[in-house]
Amino acid sequence: MLDDQIKFYRRKKEKFFKLYAGKYIVIKNFTVIGAYDSHTEAYSETVKSHQVGTFIIKAIIERDNID
């Protein structure tokens, strides 16, 4: 399941960069469910309402290195 989320991210990474540059995004069920200023904030806020292992967090930091 998470592999599919990573593939989804890779297909959409250019769009995500345009929308969320400099943020950490949380992806679940092929949807961005949050955008945060730090990985810690993304994780701590997301686990309040979503089970660990059901989402991924990706840093949208540099256009050339957004894998």
Side-chain angles (χ1 to χ4, degrees), residues 4 6-15 30:
D4 292 336
I6 293 168
K7 289 176 188 174
F8 167 75
Y9 161 77
R10 287 182 178 152
R11 284 193 313 270
K12 303 288 187 177
K13 65 185 177 179
E14 283 298 319
K15 177 181 177 182
F30 309 105

Side-chain angles (χ1 to χ4, degrees), residues 34-49:
Y36 302 91
D37 292 327
S38 72
H39 186 278
T40 301
E41 181 184 16
Y43 180 82
S44 63
E45 289 299 315
T46 304
V47 297
K48 290 178 182 178
S49 55

